[in-house]
Amino acid sequence: MGIIAFIVILLHFSVTVYVSADKSGFKFRVKYLGFTVYPRPKKPDGSPGASAAEDILHGEEKFAEDIAADDLSIVKDSEQQDGGSASSQESADHDTSILQNTEEINADSAQDSAEQDTAENEDTQEPAPPAQEEKAHKEKRAAKKKEKGAKKAKSKKEDSSGKKKEGLFSSLKSKYQKVRPYIPLAWKSFKKLLKTVRFEDLNAYVSVGRFDAHEAVIYYGAIQAAMFGLLGNLANIFTVKIKRAAVDCVFGKNTIGGEFSTYVRVRPSAVIALAVCTGVNFLIILLREKRKRKRENKNMQTKNSQSAENINQAATAV
């Protein structure tokens, strides 16, 4: 019991999210029980973890320097050896050039023989006979048959598409009928969940200015209406406590700027309690719907049995 009570007390503390936005940028911080969850604090430079990382980096740099020195020595040795083997490379290049010339001569002769063969084959071929009238008539009949088959296939596709649409609509309707009893409860639970989110110490400030006084007043009125309308909608959805909300009008200067900051708090215990209550209500609705379906099935069975009895009585009377 003591452990459960301790967990309940911990869940009763709120998770706090600090949000601020101004000219310097956007800030976001999450805290729970006084500890910063996000962003995590960085380790100081004098910590043992930082010193170990520095030692690893120095060791890697020394290892890289040693490898570079070994590579330079290998390159020097290879350059010395390349000086004596220059003559052997020249002889090898001469041999390769001779082989390439012989290959080119063989390729040219093979192409000439292939061209002669193709010319002889073309001369031996005979011209194709002209198309006859019977073949043309048969082709026309085949084209008409294809057109008829295409029309039948289109009609079948249209019928099948209509049936599919009707089947899809009926399936969606049946699914909606199953889900409809849960929609009001889900909507109420969602609104309660949003109300558990609290905006505290909300600070909203905007400064607007134009060189022309008439334009400055117009911009001032538009920005003020937009800001207070947004805050009103926010208060209808969430729980809001406003610390300051103001719009400043600046004359003789083209400027627009401002700042926004607030603390967003949520109690985990409230969210868990709302989830449990919603789950219980869903189970109650589910059991109610099952009972209703059983009653409807029984009524249908009784009606069918009565109609069958009436038909039997009428048959016996005749």
Side-chain angles (χ1 to χ4, degrees):
M1 293 296 291
I3 295 170
I4 295 170
F6 180 70
I7 293 169
V8 170
I9 291 168
L10 289 177
L11 293 174
H12 192 67
F13 288 97
S14 298
V15 178
T16 304
V17 180
Y18 176 72
V19 182
S20 68
D22 53 10
K23 292 181 179 180
S24 61
F26 180 77
K27 295 179 182 179
F28 181 78
R29 187 172 65 249
V30 182
K31 281 188 175 183
Y32 182 64
L33 293 174
F35 298 100
T36 302
V37 179
Y38 180 85
R40 298 295 299 168
K42 296 181 180 179
K43 292 182 179 180
D45 295 335
S47 62
S51 62
E54 289 177 358
D55 293 336
I56 292 167
L57 291 172
H58 288 305
E60 290 178 353
E61 290 175 357
K62 289 180 180 179
F63 182 69
E65 290 176 358
D66 294 335
I67 290 171
D70 294 335
D71 292 336
L72 288 171
S73 63
I74 292 165
V75 169
K76 288 179 181 178
D77 294 335
S78 63
E79 287 177 354
Q80 291 176 359
Q81 292 176 1
D82 291 337
S85 61
S87 60
S88 62
Q89 287 180 357
E90 290 177 356
S91 62
D93 293 334
H94 182 69
D95 295 334
T96 54
S97 63
I98 292 167
L99 290 171
Q100 288 177 357
N101 291 326
T102 56
E103 288 177 356
E104 289 177 357
I105 292 165
N106 292 326
D108 293 333
S109 62
Q111 287 180 358
D112 294 334
S113 62
E115 289 176 356
Q116 291 176 0
D117 294 333
T118 54
E120 290 177 356
N121 292 325
E122 288 177 355
D123 294 334
T124 55
Q125 287 178 356
E126 294 179 355
Q132 296 178 358
E133 294 180 356
E134 293 181 358
K135 290 182 179 180
H137 190 63
K138 289 180 180 180
E139 288 178 356
K140 288 180 180 180
R141 287 181 179 178
K144 288 181 180 180
K145 288 181 180 180
K146 287 181 180 179
E147 288 179 357
K148 289 180 181 180
K151 288 180 180 179
K152 289 180 180 179
K154 285 181 181 179
S155 62
K156 288 180 180 179
K157 285 181 180 179
E158 289 176 356
D159 295 335
S160 62
S161 63
K163 290 179 181 178
K164 286 180 180 178
K165 287 180 180 179
E166 291 178 358
L168 180 63
F169 180 73
S170 61
S171 64
L172 291 173
K173 188 176 180 181
S174 63
K175 288 179 181 179
Y176 174 73
Q177 292 295 331
K178 290 179 181 178
V179 175
R180 188 177 64 177
Y182 305 96
I183 292 173
L185 177 61
W187 180 243
K188 287 180 182 178
S189 301
F190 181 68
K191 288 196 292 185
K192 288 181 181 178
L193 179 63
L194 294 177
K195 278 293 181 182
T196 57
V197 180
R198 308 189 308 277
F199 287 79
E200 297 180 357
D201 296 335
L202 190 145
N203 179 20
Y205 171 74
V206 180
S207 62
V208 181
R210 286 290 183 274
F211 284 110
D212 189 2
H214 180 67
E215 290 182 358
V217 172
I218 291 171
Y219 276 102
Y220 169 74
I223 296 296
Q224 190 176 25
M227 189 180 77
F228 284 100
L230 181 62
L231 291 175
N233 293 326
L234 192 69
N236 290 328
I237 298 170
F238 304 99
T239 302
V240 181
K241 292 182 179 179
I242 298 172
K243 183 179 180 180
R244 185 183 71 157
V247 180
D248 190 9
C249 184
V250 181
F251 295 99
K253 184 179 179 182
N254 278 337
T255 181
I256 183 167
E259 59 183 11
F260 175 82
S261 63
T262 184
Y263 290 93
V264 184
R265 292 188 171 91
V266 182
R267 285 195 183 93
S269 59
V271 176
I272 292 168
L274 181 62
V276 171
C277 293
T278 304
V280 171
N281 290 325
F282 270 110
L283 287 174
I284 292 168
I285 293 170
L286 180 64
L287 294 173
R288 190 187 299 164
E289 290 296 320
K290 282 185 177 180
R291 290 177 182 175
K292 190 185 288 185
R293 287 173 187 171
K294 286 181 180 179
R295 289 175 184 172
E296 289 177 355
N297 291 327
K298 286 181 180 179
N299 292 327
M300 288 293 293
Q301 288 177 0
T302 54
K303 286 181 181 179
N304 291 328
S305 62
Q306 287 177 359
S307 62
E309 288 177 358
N310 293 326
I311 291 166
N312 291 326
Q313 288 177 1
T316 54
V318 172

